[in-house]
């Protein structure tokens, strides 16, 4: 697998000689290896901020003294190298489809495919699940929590400000059930384990249990999150010496690498923000990972 372009952030202040020039012209001159054409694409993606505000007009005149921040990364790499409505439509047509598992007036539970960003990022405000869902359902939509680009599975959005407040509070209180399936590198020698290891100075706790040891040297594991830090399972898996297979950031290439990151949000449970009743949703492993696992099983059990 080819590694995605790492996120890079370039910050600079417009000089007197930049006064009155087009934004894409200034970007191409000040950001290393960024052509004028790529600068226009980056602006169109929403990866450029001027004095703290996202700017999407490449021809906007720059004023001396303005602070310009450009976010380069995977979004630019994945985008059609054109701008405008037709280019955005082509980009969206290439996105993997998502499935609405449940919706009512308060929430929408979605089965997110790998390869689809959950919400806008500094790199881009287009081609993300929140934007697509907002247009599909209409009305307000609030991002309660996120899944990584390469992670598939269940995610909930709020459709009212009150539902967002309640669900966000339950996330902070760790009162939401979030269970993942992950295939770890190597043969794990424990059956259950609680991993209590801070991430970025904040408490992070994961509860892991082995479901199946696969050949050669892979272990299907269930993770239940007690906290929800960024990349928590991936970091905790690396911490115990068994990174998630297919993880290009925290793991290493393997001859049995899956078609993508082998991490799937399989169960999501919480108290409904309006009714007060507990609800829970399940999602089996998607076909790409299930087929890969079957091929591993065909080799026989791991020792």
């Amino acid at each position: 697998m080819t590694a995605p372009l790492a996120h890079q952030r370039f910050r600079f202040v417009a000089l007197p000689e930049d006064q009155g020039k087009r934004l894409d012209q200034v970007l191409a001159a000040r950001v290393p290896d960024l052509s004028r054409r790529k600068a226009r694409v980056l602006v169109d993606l929403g990866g450029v901020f001027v004095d703290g505000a996202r700017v999407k007009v490449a021809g906007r005149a720059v004023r001396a003294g303005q602070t310009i921040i450009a976010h380069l990364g995977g979004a630019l790499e994945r985008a059609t190298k054109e701008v405008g409505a037709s280019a955005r439509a082509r980009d969206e047509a290439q996105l993997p489809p998502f499935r609405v598992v449940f919706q009512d007036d308060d929430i929408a539970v979605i089965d997110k495919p790998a390869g689809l960003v959950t919400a806008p990022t500094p790199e881009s405000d287009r081609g993300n699940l929140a934007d697509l869902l907002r247009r599909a359902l209409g009305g307000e939509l609030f991002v309660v929590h996120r899944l990584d680009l390469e992670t598939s599975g269940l995610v909930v959005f709020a459709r009212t400000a009150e539902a967002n407040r309640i669900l966000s509070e339950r996330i902070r209180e760790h009162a939401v059930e979030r269970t993942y399936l992950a295939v770890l590198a190597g043969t794990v020698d424990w059956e259950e384990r609680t991993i209590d290891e801070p991430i970025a100075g904040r408490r992070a706790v994961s509860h892991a249990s082995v479901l199946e040891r696969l050949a050669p040297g892979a272990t299907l594991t269930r993770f239940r999150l007690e906290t929800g830090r960024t990349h928590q399972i991936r970091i905790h898996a690396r911490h115990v010496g068994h990174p998630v297979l297919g993880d290009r950031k925290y793991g290493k290439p393997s001859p049995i690498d899956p078609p993508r990151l082998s991490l799937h949000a399989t169960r999501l449970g919480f108290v409904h923000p309006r009714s007060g009743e507990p609800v829970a949703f399940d999602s089996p492993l998607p076909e790409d990972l299930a087929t890969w696992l079957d091929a591993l099983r065909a080799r026989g059990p791991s020792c």
Side-chain angles (χ1 to χ4, degrees):
M1 293 181 290
T2 302
L5 180 66
H7 178 259
Q8 300 177 69
R9 178 180 181 271
F10 295 92
R11 180 185 183 277
F12 60 91
V13 176
L15 301 172
E17 54 263 38
D18 296 324
Q19 178 74 30
K21 291 182 179 178
R22 288 171 54 102
L23 179 58
D24 59 346
Q25 183 182 5
V26 174
L27 287 166
R30 301 290 300 277
V31 178
D33 302 320
L34 189 69
S35 67
R36 185 84 171 266
R37 178 180 60 81
K38 283 187 177 180
R40 288 194 293 270
V41 174
L42 183 64
V43 172
D44 196 52
L45 282 171
V48 177
F49 293 76
V50 178
D51 287 343
R54 198 187 300 262
V55 175
K56 304 194 69 174
V57 179
R60 173 170 169 172
V62 171
R63 298 195 309 273
Q66 288 183 315
T67 298
I68 300 174
I69 300 176
H71 295 270
L72 282 69
L76 180 61
E77 187 176 48
R78 293 188 298 271
T80 303
K81 306 311 179 188
E82 300 174 25
V83 297
S86 60
R88 289 191 286 273
R90 282 195 294 274
D91 284 346
E92 290 185 3
Q94 297 173 9
L95 295 173
F98 61 88
R99 181 172 66 93
V100 178
V101 176
F102 174 85
Q103 65 170 304
D104 61 16
D105 292 339
D106 301 286
I107 62 173
V109 177
I110 308 299
D111 201 341
K112 185 191 87 68
L116 183 60
V117 179
T118 304
T121 68
E123 291 182 28
S124 177
D125 66 347
R126 83 181 201 212
N128 60 80
L129 176 57
D131 179 55
L132 298 173
L133 187 61
R134 184 178 291 109
R135 283 186 274 153
L137 299 182
E140 291 185 301
L141 193 74
F142 300 86
V143 178
V144 177
H145 66 118
R146 304 174 187 231
L147 296 178
D148 295 342
L149 171 68
E150 294 182 86
T151 302
S152 56
L154 297 169
V155 60
V156 62
F157 293 86
R159 301 188 68 187
T160 68
E162 180 64 7
N164 180 55
R165 183 191 67 78
I166 293 171
L167 289 176
S168 297
E169 182 177 328
R170 288 178 183 153
I171 288 281
R172 288 193 297 272
E173 294 173 346
H174 315 309
V176 174
E177 179 187 2
R178 286 176 289 175
T179 303
Y180 293 72
L181 296 176
V183 184
L184 306 187
T187 302
V188 174
D189 61 3
W190 38 263
E191 298 301 324
E192 295 185 351
R193 182 166 182 171
T194 293
I195 307 164
D196 189 342
E197 180 68 19
I199 295 175
R202 303 177 68 188
R203 180 173 180 265
V205 180
S206 304
H207 303 281
S209 57
V210 170
L211 298 178
E212 185 178 0
R213 293 180 175 86
L214 303 152
T219 306
L220 177 61
T221 310
R222 177 186 291 115
F223 276 83
R224 182 175 61 82
L225 295 186
E226 184 173 320
T227 59
R229 309 304 177 204
T230 300
H231 297 175
Q232 178 170 315
I233 291 173
R234 298 164 66 182
I235 293 172
H236 277 177
R238 180 186 64 178
H239 175 72
V240 298
H242 296 279
V244 178
L245 281 171
D247 192 336
R248 292 171 288 183
K249 183 176 179 68
Y250 300 106
K252 297 179 180 179
S254 165
I256 58 167
D257 262 349
R260 48 93 170 177
L261 179 71
S262 56
L263 183 61
H264 178 71
T266 189
R267 185 172 177 84
L268 181 64
F270 49 89
V271 173
H272 192 283
R274 183 185 296 270
S275 70
E277 295 296 320
V279 293
F281 307 92
D282 295 284
S283 169
L285 275 177
E287 184 177 358
D288 57 350
L289 292 182
T291 300
W292 171 70
L293 277 180
D294 286 342
L296 289 184
R297 291 185 180 106
R299 302 185 186 188
S302 177
C303 298

